[in-house]
Structure formats: C-alpha cells, structure tokens
Amino acid sequence: MKYSSLIFLVLIGFNIFIWYYVVSGAHDDLNIYFLDVGQGDSELVVLPDDIKVLIDGGPGKGVLFELSEVLPKTDKYIDLIVMTHAQLDHFGGLYDVVNRYKVGAFVTTGRDGESEAWNDFAKLLKEKEIPVILVGAGDVVKYKDSIFLVLSPNEEFLNNKEINESSLILKLESEGASALFTGDMGFETENFLVDSYDMDIDILKVPHHGSRFSSGLKFLAEAMPRISVIEVGSNNRFGHPTEAVLSRLKSVGSSIYRTDKNGTVHLEINDGIVSILAEK
Amino acid sequence: MHLHDKAFYVALFFIIGVAAAGLGVNVWLTLFAATVASFVAIRSKIFVALFVGITFLGFFYFNFYTVAQNENFPVGEKIEFEGVVYSQPKHGLKSQELNVELEDPLKGTVRVYTEPLPRFQYGDRLKIAGTITESPSGRLNIVSFPRIERVGVAESRAVKKKLFELKDSMVQNLNSVLSPQHASLMSGLLFGERAEFSDEFEDAMQKSGTTHIVALSGYNVAIIGITLSTALSYFIKRKYAFYASLVAIPAFVVMTGAEASVVRAGIMGIIMLLAERQSRIYSFRNAVTLTAFIMLLFNPRLLVFDTGFQLSFAALLGIVYIYPLLKKRFKIEENEGVMGWKRNLFQTFSAQVAVAPIVLTSFGYFSPTALFSNVLILEFIPVTMLLGFMTATLGFISYGLSLVLGWVTSVFLGYEIFIINLFSLNWF
C-alpha cells in the first residue's frame, strides 16, 4: 500500500504526457528563432509540421537553456543540425546539444576545424553515430513546400584560406518568405552570391556578428532585407556590431534587431506575413 | 572512566589543540586552558596530564601539516608547468574549471579556468603555459585561460575514474530527459553537481536560504543511504546488504568529490551501520567527535579554514541538541505523516540557529525567508530524489520509460524552483 500513491502519480503523469501530445498538435506556420547565446551564432528554424533545424550552436551551454525555452519541455529531438563552419562560437554549444538531444542528421561543408576543441566535437559526433551529410553550392534540402538552398561554398570557397569564407550559406524559402543564413561570410562570398544568384530576400542573419568586413553595400543593395538580425554578445571584445555595418543596414531601410539588446528574436511567419516577437 | 569516555576526551582535546593552532592562539595559553578544562571535567591528575599532552599533539600536528603542505610556485610570472587534474572538472555555462596538482619541480595546487571545449577529464596530465595569480578570496590560486596541451593520462587512478564515469553517465541520463534547469537542480540534489547553475539561480538559492539542499549535506546522504539499503534488502540477504552498504557509502562519497560535508555524513553513516550490526548503543556524542577527529587527521586545516566543514557539523549539532528541546516545548509528534511540516520547520529552525554565527561571519548574509522556503520544499526533497534516482537509473535500460518518469520528476522540480525563486524576491 505504501507505493500505491506513487504508482498512481506515475500513471497520472503518463496520462498528461500522452494527452498533451494528442491535444497540442503541430504548428502549421514557420518560426525562426535567433537565439540569445552571447557572442556567437545560433538559429532555430521550425518549419511547418514542427520540423526542427538548428543552425549553429553558439559558444557554450547557453543554447540548451534557449532551446528549452522555445521547445516543449519533453521534446528531445532535433531533425537537422547545420554547422556553417568549424569555429568555436558556432559549434561550441552543439557539443552539449548532440549530447542531450536525439539528432536526425548533421549537415556541414566538410571543412574540418583546426582546434583541439573541434577534434573533441568530431569524436563525439562519431560516438553518437549521427549521420553526417556534406553539402555544397547547388544542393537542396526540402520538406514539403519549404526548401533550403545551399548557395555556398563551392569547391573554391571551401578551400579558401580564410575559414569564414568557407561558411555554409543557406537560403530558406517557406511560407511565402525568404531568409538568408550567412555564418561568418565576408565580402568575397557576398560578391560571389550577388554575381551568381538572384539575392532578393526578406530576412537576413547579418554575417559575422556585424563585423565591418561583411555586409557590404553591394550585397545589401541586392538583398534589400526588410529585417536584419545581428547575433552578438553585449560588450564583446571585438566591438561587434560595428557602426559601419549598422549604418549600411539602415541605409537600405532594414529594421535591425540584435540579440544583445533584444534577447532572443522570434519571427513567426504565416503566408508571407511576419510577426516579430523580441524578448526585450 | 569507561573506555568510550576516554576515547571521547582524547578526540575532543585533540580537536581543541587543532582549533587553537588554526586560530593562532599562543601555545602556552592553549595548554593552560586545556589544563583547566580537563581538571574541571575529570578530577584525576593522570588524565589531566594525558589530555594536556593530547592537546599539545593536536597543536603540533596542525603546524606540522601546514609546513609539510607548503606550496612552491612563482606567483605573477608567466611560466610553463605540468600538472594533473586531481578532481572532476566543472563544465560550467561559459567556462571550464580544472583543479590541477602541480608536478615537480613545482608543488601545490591551482585552479585553472579555460574555454568550455575541449573537455578535459579527471586524471589528465596537462602542460600549461600561463600566469598563476593570487585568488582574491584566499582560496586556490588561479590561472586564467592559459594555453593548455594534454600530454597524457595519469595512471593509478582507475577506481576513482570509473566512479566518476558512473556518475557522469547518470547525470547524462538526467540531461537527456529533463530540461536543463530541471536537470541541473536534480544533479545538484543527487550528486552535488552545481556547475550548470546560472548565476541568477545560485543567487536565488542563497537568498531563499535553500543552497544546502544541493550542497550534499548529511541529509542527502541519509536519504540515498536509506533508499539504497531498502532497495538492496529486497534483492539480497540482510548480511550482504550490510556489506554492500559499506562499499556503497564510500563509493558515493568519492563519486561526488569528497567534500567535507559528504565525508562527514559518510563516516557517521558507517559508524551508525556498524553500531547497529554489533548491537552496540549508537552514541551520538562519540560518533560526531570521532568523525571530526578522523577528518582532521587527514586535514587539520578543515576545522578553521573550510566553511563547509563548519556548517556541516554546526547544522548537525543544532538538529541533535536544539531540536529535542523545541520538540518537548512544542509537543511535536514523530511520524505525524502529512503534518511533517512541523518537524521540518523546527529542524530547519534548529539548524539555522546553529549555523547562523558561521553564515554571518563567513558570508555576511542571512536569509530571512529561509524558514518558510525550507518548510515548503524539504517535505518534497526525498520523493524528488527518489524519482530522480529512478529516472537516472532507468535511462540505462529504456529511454522511453526514463522520459516518462522524468516528466513526473519535473513536476516536483518545477515546484521547487518556483518556491526558490519566490522566496528570493525582495519582499520589503
């Protein structure tokens, strides 16, 4: 009899657990979260039907807390993790994500990092037996009406001596809107994009945390993003985002959101209509 | 005088000697005080001589230990050195914290802060290039973000390593089914792991006076010991359950990093077990003095310099000596079931009264809401720990079951976090 109340409790919990899923159902809009992970990048894209794509993971464990705010508490599955390039402020947090979530597949360019930290992470990926998919310019990731186009790197950029220029560039087209995820790309990649593609987009993840060696006017004039989000830590030692970039973004009429000022920036997109829900 | 009285006084006077030396009291003054004290307690010349001798031994031992432990490394210079990670690294939110024991020609221990990746492990031998700076709080000296290279793994630490791995995989099981906030509180309750607490949450726990629930006190060890021995007695014979507990308790102490409070609880737990088995009377007075005596033999500096050691003993003394008075005065019944809140209230109060002087002098802070938050939380800690332990263990067998049970655990953890945050607010 001593344990009857405990068993009862467990059964109640089990019931709530099941019914929660039955009742809540999946979203049918597109949600993009620019997570506040300090000085580093991490974006979570939740496609219609709750398909979760995490692009980069910031420098440390902060991403876990952000994810748990955004995803249901019991949701421990991420469909795709995309890593733009192997620098610590982009993959550091992925170490713990991979450790704690079940992951469908890991998507990246195939260029290895040079640090001891990267070796550690690569080892963990192998241990967890997560399928790794290497992509390059021209590849496509598709789910129903949503499509991720891989714009860069091609062979040349992949081996660029500057690792930032080897960043995986993704353009998302879904729910009548388009968003560009840019990693840490610089002018070189920007020019390549402008020359090779039709770059008109609605939402821009501002490249390289607003470094002055990115977000050139030539690129911005083509892209004309209506919403720009800068992922940056407050009082970082790099002086990101730079005044130069902020004024360039303003000059093309883009509204600017920053994770250091606005916290996590959440865009809810339904049939071309974007609602912006910033934390602060 | 009975043998157990002699043992008690020997331990007591040794502790007095250590305390005096630690506080920097003059040796003659100490011996004089010991003479007076022992004469008042026992009117026998031989014993007075014996106890004064023991006091001197304690005094001497403290100084001997301090000299033997002397550190030898340059402070404030850029140097390169090798060392071994001698305790489990703390993988915090923004950095990694390593305690490193220096190797020849240097001597001593330092704390190294470094990037979250790559992950270093217990027993790693590192080559470090950086500057050792003095700690502002007078604890371990610090090396901030140096260049580190892993040059190997120290041998002969296999058992400890295995225990740490077991704990890590249990924490990992919790992490993979609970949200990070819940998982970090649960790891705190079960293993005293606090690396992942955010600054805000640490602060909230301190303000609400609930830090002790994750500081692995005797309370946690007792719950784990009782749960474990109950569970074991279902599966194996009583005799074997006794031996299993004798192994499990030290294993747990080592696994959780052997902090003073856990060691204290572990030793007392074992004494209790032995007393029960030998059908001897369990004398609290003797058990507590003997425990302190043993711990001080290993490190006499604990008594004066380790706040955890002081808090642990003070709280225990409070509960054992003050609580019975309150119990009589307010006529509290044991085993009163749902109304256990009264017991929690008065036990918390007793412990609070006993630790208050130490908390005030060490932290300069005292939580006015501690009584209420503790009454509301403590009642649920045992069941939370039980559920958390089951969730972590189930994780080895079935992810699905662990996930479901984790959800039930989350209900309790959510409530506890709510109470902690509620009572950390400035109400005035």
Side-chain angles (χ1 to χ4, degrees):
Chain A
M1 280 322 283
K2 212 167 135 197
Y3 298 105
S4 60
S5 57
L6 189 67
I7 293 168
F8 180 68
L9 218 65
V10 171
L11 285 176
I12 291 269
F14 191 66
N15 265 274
I16 298 173
F17 186 74
I18 298 292
W19 282 103
Y20 177 78
Y21 275 103
V22 174
V23 175
S24 61
H27 295 88
D28 59 358
D29 50 0
L30 166 68
N31 288 278
I32 304 177
Y33 302 87
F34 296 86
L35 303 174
D36 179 13
V37 292
Q39 180 66 12
D41 268 3
S42 183
E43 304 102 44
L44 176 71
V45 179
V46 185
L47 301 176
D49 288 358
D50 286 348
I51 304 297
K52 287 150 284 178
V53 180
L54 179 68
I55 304 174
D56 288 341
K61 286 181 176 173
V63 64
L64 296 172
F65 290 83
E66 292 298 321
L67 285 176
S68 75
E69 294 281 313
V70 170
L71 300 173
K73 290 256 181 282
T74 48
D75 194 347
K76 289 285 177 178
Y77 182 77
I78 291 175
D79 297 82
L80 282 185
I81 291 183
V82 178
M83 184 188 73
T84 60
H85 63 299
Q87 276 180 334
L88 198 59
D89 58 334
H90 294 256
F91 78 80
L94 293 179
Y95 189 96
D96 292 287
V97 175
V98 165
N99 238 330
R100 299 185 190 191
Y101 284 80
K102 305 256 173 222
V103 178
F106 187 80
V107 178
T108 187
T109 61
R111 175 159 171 173
D112 282 333
E114 281 145 17
S115 56
E116 206 35 53
W118 166 256
N119 297 339
D120 240 30
F121 179 54
K123 206 174 97 197
L124 181 71
L125 276 178
K126 229 179 236 152
E127 265 172 37
K128 294 275 172 184
E129 295 175 350
I130 295 170
V132 175
I133 302 169
L134 301 184
V135 296
D139 288 331
V140 161
V141 180
K142 204 168 175 287
Y143 177 81
K144 287 192 178 165
D145 295 334
S146 303
I147 182 164
F148 279 103
L149 304 158
V150 180
L151 306 186
S152 187
N154 56 21
E155 199 69 30
E156 192 187 321
F157 278 104
L158 184 63
N159 300 311
N160 193 304
K161 66 178 192 305
E162 180 56 58
I163 189 171
N164 286 337
E165 300 286 11
S166 76
S167 289
L168 180 63
I169 313 295
L170 282 179
K171 185 180 178 189
L172 166 67
E173 289 172 358
S174 174
E175 283 293 313
S178 60
L180 191 69
F181 300 97
T182 57
D184 278 353
M185 74 171 176
F187 294 143
E188 235 180 293
T189 308
E190 290 180 0
N191 292 337
F192 163 74
L193 293 183
V194 171
D195 296 341
S196 322
Y197 305 97
D198 165 24
M199 277 317 296
D200 191 16
I201 52 164
D202 305 308
I203 300 153
L204 173 69
K205 199 294 288 180
V206 175
H208 205 176
H209 327 286
S211 147
R212 65 198 168 96
F213 302 112
S214 308
S215 311
L217 259 188
K218 180 179 169 195
F219 164 72
L220 290 179
E222 282 292 319
M224 293 295 270
R226 279 188 285 171
I227 299 164
S228 303
V229 186
I230 306 174
E231 293 193 89
V232 72
S234 50
N235 298 323
N236 63 77
R237 62 195 157 107
F238 308 100
H240 293 157
T242 52
E243 273 311 315
V245 167
L246 291 173
S247 64
R248 277 181 239 155
L249 287 169
K250 272 182 212 145
S251 75
V252 297
S254 192
S255 11
I256 304 168
Y257 292 86
R258 314 166 40 165
T259 53
D260 61 338
K261 296 240 164 91
N262 303 110
T264 289
V265 178
H266 172 195
L267 306 180
E268 198 181 87
I269 303 156
N270 203 334
D271 222 357
I273 297 169
V274 182
S275 335
I276 303 163
L277 308 148
E279 208 170 37
K280 299 176 204 167
Chain B
M1 188 155 41
H2 293 295
L3 182 65
H4 60 94
D5 281 330
K6 284 179 203 158
F8 167 72
Y9 282 115
V10 165
L12 182 68
F13 280 96
F14 183 83
I15 294 169
I16 291 173
V18 169
L23 292 168
V25 181
N26 179 295
V27 63
W28 299 114
L29 189 64
T30 309
L31 293 183
F32 174 71
T35 314
V36 174
S38 50
F39 192 74
V40 172
I42 322 109
R43 296 178 180 279
S44 147
K45 277 180 198 150
I46 301 169
F47 282 115
V48 169
L50 174 68
F51 294 145
V52 170
I54 295 286
T55 309
F56 179 73
L57 204 62
F59 198 96
F60 175 78
Y61 186 68
F62 177 90
N63 288 309
F64 171 76
Y65 182 90
T66 308
V67 172
Q69 289 292 307
N70 229 348
E71 297 181 324
N72 171 31
F73 50 75
V75 172
E77 282 172 46
K78 203 162 169 51
I79 50 167
E80 190 163 296
F81 57 93
E82 278 195 25
V84 174
V85 181
Y86 71 87
S87 68
Q88 256 204 317
K90 288 199 175 118
H91 303 297
L93 294 183
K94 287 173 187 148
S95 63
Q96 210 177 152
E97 190 184 304
L98 315 166
N99 290 339
V100 176
E101 189 174 357
L102 306 182
E103 300 210 313
D104 284 340
L106 304 181
K107 193 163 184 277
T109 50
V110 292
R111 176 163 298 165
V112 177
Y113 290 96
T114 179
E115 303 281 349
L117 285 179
R119 295 281 152 95
F120 294 106
Q121 303 297 338
Y122 167 77
D124 280 355
R125 175 171 279 118
L126 308 174
K127 187 184 256 173
I128 299 172
T131 312
I132 302 175
T133 53
E134 208 146 321
S135 154
S137 58
R139 294 194 178 187
L140 278 182
N141 291 318
I142 292 171
V143 188
S144 263
F145 295 88
R147 198 164 48 76
I148 303 180
E149 193 191 329
R150 188 168 7 199
V151 289
V153 179
E155 303 92 16
S156 77
R157 299 183 182 222
V159 176
K160 226 171 160 184
K161 217 173 159 81
K162 279 273 169 288
L163 285 172
F164 286 157
E165 277 167 19
L166 175 63
K167 179 182 76 173
D168 283 347
S169 23
M170 290 186 83
V171 170
Q172 175 65 30
N173 288 348
L174 291 173
N175 282 335
S176 48
V177 296
L178 299 173
S179 78
Q181 291 90 341
H182 290 177
S184 62
L185 178 58
M186 197 67 247
S187 322
L189 287 173
L190 284 178
F191 304 111
E193 282 281 312
R194 288 157 74 176
E196 272 183 28
F197 284 13
S198 64
D199 293 345
E200 292 85 38
F201 193 62
E202 284 270 5
D203 196 45
M205 293 199 85
Q206 199 179 53
K207 281 190 179 151
S208 60
T210 46
T211 309
H212 68 97
I213 65 170
V214 294
L216 271 198
S217 55
Y219 180 68
N220 307 50
V221 178
I223 292 175
I224 287 171
I226 290 165
T227 312
L228 209 64
S229 59
T230 316
L232 282 174
S233 61
Y234 273 105
F235 298 116
I236 49 179
K237 278 194 194 143
R238 211 186 149 81
K239 196 172 93 187
Y240 297 123
F242 165 75
Y243 289 115
S245 305
L246 273 195
V247 175
I249 293 176
F252 180 78
V253 171
V254 172
M255 187 193 273
T256 54
E259 289 207 19
S261 59
V262 188
V263 175
R264 199 270 298 148
I267 295 179
M268 293 198 61
I270 288 175
I271 293 178
M272 203 166 76
L273 272 177
L274 288 173
E276 197 179 310
R277 178 154 175 83
Q278 304 290 329
S279 311
R280 296 274 171 105
I281 300 159
Y282 176 67
S283 151
F284 174 77
R285 186 196 71 176
N286 276 18
V288 77
T289 351
L290 189 65
T291 307
F293 177 70
I294 295 171
M295 290 178 72
L296 293 178
L297 275 186
F298 279 95
N299 182 0
R301 297 181 65 83
L302 286 175
L303 184 59
V304 177
F305 295 101
D306 190 314
T307 319
F309 179 92
Q310 298 162 358
L311 289 175
S312 172
F313 277 94
L316 183 69
L317 294 172
I319 289 172
V320 172
Y321 288 118
I322 302 177
Y323 173 62
L325 304 178
L326 296 172
K327 198 166 108 180
K328 221 187 234 166
R329 173 74 182 74
F330 292 96
K331 300 192 176 66
I332 305 162
E333 307 270 328
E334 286 295 331
N335 307 322
E336 52 187 356
V338 193
M339 298 299 279
W341 66 270
K342 255 195 202 165
R343 193 183 61 233
N344 281 331
L345 175 73
F346 285 105
Q347 282 191 347
T348 304
F349 182 73
S350 312
Q352 288 281 336
V353 168
V355 300
I358 301 170
V359 172
L360 276 174
T361 49
S362 306
F363 305 119
Y365 185 84
F366 196 72
S367 169
T369 53
L371 269 185
F372 307 102
S373 55
N374 276 292
V375 168
L376 287 170
I377 281 186
L378 281 183
E379 192 70 4
F380 296 97
I381 294 295
V383 62
T384 314
M385 285 176 66
L386 180 66
L387 285 170
F389 188 77
M390 283 162 66
T391 307
T393 317
L394 263 183
F396 292 120
I397 304 161
S398 151
Y399 175 75
L401 285 177
S402 174
L403 192 68
V404 174
L405 194 62
W407 202 83
V408 182
T409 316
S410 270
V411 177
F412 288 97
L413 291 168
Y415 165 78
E416 280 142 20
I417 291 175
F418 171 75
I419 295 291
I420 289 168
N421 286 327
L422 184 68
F423 283 96
S424 70
L425 300 176
N426 281 323
W427 287 15
F428 309 106

